[in-house]
Amino acid sequence: MAPVTQIGEEMYALVERLYPLCRSITGDGVRATLDIVGEYIPLQVHEVPTGTQVLDWTVPQEWNIRDAYVADASGNRVVDFAASSLHVLGYSVPVSATMPLAELRAHLHTLPDRPAWVPYRTSYYKPDWGFCLAQDTLDAMPDGEYEVRIDSTLADGHLTYAEHVVPGQVADEVIVSCHVCHPSLANDNMAGVAVATFLARELAEQTPYYTYRFIFAPGTIGAITWLARNAERVERVKHGLVLACAGDPGGLTYKQSRRGDAEIDRVMRHVLAASERPHHITEFTPYGYDERQYCSPGFNLGVGSLTRTPYAGYPEYHTSADNLDFVSPEAMADTLAVCREASAVLDRNRRYLNLSPYGEPQLGRRGLYDALGGRSDTKQAQMAMLWVLNLSDGEHSLLDVAERSGLPFDTVAAAADALQGAGLIKA
C-alpha cells in the first residue's frame, strides 16, 4: 500500500479532475464522471431509460447543457456557466430571451448573508429556469435589458449509475454508496467519490471475507433505482456505508442506521472510539443522504453514513466555497483510513465455539504462551486468549469480546487466530 501522504495526494488529484464537471441526476456529466472513475477501477455502468418505474418514482428525462449566460447591453457575460457550473439552476429548461433586470430577478438566486459566494440550487421535478450568482455580482448589475440564454435539453434518455464489485470469500455483501450528481462541489461529494474509489482499489488487492459492492449513483433517485433493480437480492446486503463530505477539515461523524444496533453501527462506534480521533456519533434521521433510502422501512438495511462535517453543518455547504481549497489530501486520507479499519473489523468479526469448554485449557502445553514471548503486549495478548476462550460460545462475536474486555480488536482477532490454529476453537 502506498504511503498515506501519497494516497491523499492521489485522491486529491482525482477530485481536481472531477470538480469542474457539470453533473446532475442524469446526463453526460454523470457519464464523464464515471469515465474518469473507471480509469481507477473497472465499473459496470447501467443505463436506465426515462419513464422506468422505480419503486414510487419514475426515471425523469435526461438533462444536458452546453452553455448559459446572462449578458448586459454591451454583451458582457455578467453570469457565465463557462466559469462555473453552479451558475445555472440545475435542470433548467432552455431559455433564449431579453428582459429587464426587474423581470430577471425572479430567476436569480443568491446568498445575501454570504455575498461573495454562489449557491447551488436545482429544480429536478418542476420545470423552471434560473441562475445562481454572488450577491455582490447582483448588486453591481444596473437596471436595464439583459440577454438571457440557457442552451439545455430535456429529452427522453437515461439515468446512469455504476457499480464496482470486489469478490469476497462469501456472497454476503457490504455496500459502499456515494452520490455523483453534484456539480463543482469538492467536498459534497467528489471527496466521497475519491475515498470510495481508493477503498475499492485497496480491497481489490486483498481477499476480503465479504463481497464489497461499490455504488456510484445520483442522489435519491439513483439509490432508489438501484434498490428497485436489486430488490430480490438485497437480502445479501449485510452491512453498508454511505460516504459523503469526506475531505473537509472537521472531525468525523458517523450517522447510525435506522436499526441503531446494526453491526456496522457497532463497528463504527468501536473503530472511532479506539482510534481516539475527534468524532461524533449521531442517531438516524430520515433526512440526509442515501442512507435514508437503504434504511427505508421496507428494506431496513444495516447502512450508516460516514462524513466529516455532516450535510448542512458547514457554511460552505452547497455553495461555491465548497471548492478545491476546502478539501485536503490529509482529510481524505484520514477518512479512507477509518473505512479501512472498519472493513478490517467487519471482515474478521466472527463467532467461535470453544472446543474445550470445560475448564480452562492448558495453553502452555500447546505452546501458545511461548508463541507470545518477546511481544511488547504479552500480558494483553494472554488476556485476549482467555477472553476469547471464555466467550466462544457461538453467541458472542470478537467485537463482543473486544468491547467487554476493553482490549483492542486486532489483539482479540490475533488471539482467535492462534486459538483456532491450536484446535481450541472453531468458527
Side-chain angles (χ1 to χ4, degrees):
M1 187 170 62
V4 171
T5 53
Q6 180 182 334
I7 292 173
E9 293 293 347
E10 290 176 1
M11 286 191 288
Y12 188 85
L14 174 56
V15 173
E16 281 186 306
R17 293 182 65 190
L18 297 173
Y19 175 75
L21 300 178
C22 181
R23 281 166 291 272
S24 189
I25 56 172
T26 62
D28 292 335
V30 174
R31 296 186 186 96
T33 298
L34 297 177
D35 283 346
I36 292 173
V37 172
E39 296 175 20
Y40 292 75
I41 55 174
L43 293 177
Q44 181 179 7
V45 178
H46 304 271
E47 297 277 7
V48 185
T50 296
T52 302
Q53 189 71 25
V54 287
L55 305 181
D56 194 46
W57 295 59
T58 304
V59 173
Q61 288 190 312
E62 182 176 322
W63 183 69
N64 286 293
I65 184 167
R66 287 163 291 277
D67 193 18
Y69 60 86
V70 175
D72 61 20
S74 301
N76 298 314
R77 295 190 176 193
V78 293
V79 183
D80 191 355
F81 169 76
S84 171
S85 56
L86 294 180
H87 277 310
V88 173
L89 177 78
Y91 254 63
S92 281
V93 300
V95 176
S96 182
T98 300
M99 63 186 67
L101 180 59
E103 181 181 346
L104 177 59
R105 280 183 181 275
H107 298 277
L108 300 181
H109 305 273
T110 66
L111 294 168
D113 59 334
R114 302 281 181 176
W117 296 357
V118 178
Y120 164 55
R121 299 288 184 267
T122 63
S123 185
Y124 295 140
Y125 302 105
K126 177 184 176 183
D128 199 0
W129 64 270
F131 291 87
C132 300
L133 65 160
Q135 182 67 43
D136 288 342
T137 301
L138 178 58
D139 291 344
M141 292 171 62
D143 289 335
E145 296 289 308
Y146 287 85
E147 181 188 0
V148 179
R149 172 80 167 161
I150 298 178
D151 183 10
S152 64
T153 56
L154 270 167
D156 288 352
H158 297 83
L159 178 145
T160 309
Y161 72 91
E163 295 175 286
H164 171 81
V165 176
V166 179
Q169 299 170 39
V170 297
D172 290 343
E173 293 187 359
V174 179
I175 60 171
V176 179
S177 181
C178 55
H179 58 274
V180 294
C181 51
H182 286 12
S184 300
L185 299 175
N187 195 44
D188 181 22
N189 187 35
M190 293 305 99
V193 171
V195 169
T197 300
F198 278 73
L199 178 62
R201 286 214 313 188
E202 289 188 8
L203 289 171
E205 296 174 356
Q206 307 166 18
T207 306
Y209 177 73
Y210 290 106
T211 293
Y212 281 77
R213 184 176 300 274
F214 290 80
I215 302 168
F216 299 87
T220 305
I221 185 67
I224 286 171
T225 299
W226 185 87
L227 285 164
R229 289 164 60 90
N230 292 274
E232 294 181 358
R233 52 179 299 280
V234 79
E235 63 183 19
R236 293 185 192 173
V237 176
K238 304 304 179 184
H239 321 286
L241 197 60
V242 171
L243 279 176
C245 301
D248 69 79
L252 286 153
T253 296
Y254 175 71
K255 175 183 173 182
Q256 298 185 119
S257 72
R258 178 178 181 267
R259 299 179 192 174
D261 62 349
E263 188 171 341
I264 186 65
D265 300 326
R266 295 184 59 209
V267 167
M268 292 304 302
R269 290 196 299 261
H270 178 81
V271 165
L272 288 169
S275 73
E276 299 185 348
R277 291 177 174 90
H279 69 277
H280 297 281
I281 304 293
T282 64
E283 298 294 328
F284 175 80
T285 64
Y287 182 77
Y289 291 120
D290 284 327
E291 69 280 354
R292 69 190 198 273
Q293 310 307 333
Y294 301 117
C295 293
S296 55
F299 294 108
N300 196 27
L301 298 176
V303 176
S305 172
L306 181 65
T307 64
R308 300 196 72 83
T309 308
Y311 54 86
Y314 51 98
E316 297 84 357
Y317 179 76
H318 279 195
T319 77
S320 57
D322 184 353
N323 55 33
L324 293 171
D325 293 332
F326 186 60
V327 298
S328 71
E330 295 78 15
M332 284 186 280
D334 185 54
T335 307
L336 176 62
V338 170
C339 293
R340 184 188 303 127
E341 292 161 22
S343 170
V345 175
L346 276 176
D347 267 19
R348 299 180 73 187
N349 190 32
R350 305 274 183 283
R351 287 177 171 81
Y352 289 86
L353 188 66
N354 188 334
L355 300 178
S356 183
Y358 298 100
E360 183 182 300
Q362 191 175 30
L363 301 181
R365 172 165 66 83
R366 294 172 170 85
L368 290 172
Y369 280 145
D370 293 340
L372 301 175
R375 286 180 54 150
S376 60
D377 63 341
T378 299
K379 185 175 181 179
Q380 195 177 61
Q382 290 175 352
M383 285 302 301
M385 285 190 183
L386 297 177
W387 272 108
V388 171
L389 282 168
N390 192 269
L391 292 180
S392 290
D393 52 8
E395 296 182 4
H396 292 85
S397 69
L398 294 186
L399 184 57
D400 291 324
V401 177
E403 290 178 343
R404 187 163 175 179
S405 68
L407 296 168
F409 181 88
D410 284 350
T411 302
V412 170
D417 289 343
L419 292 167
Q420 187 173 31
L424 286 171
I425 62 173
K426 70 174 182 179

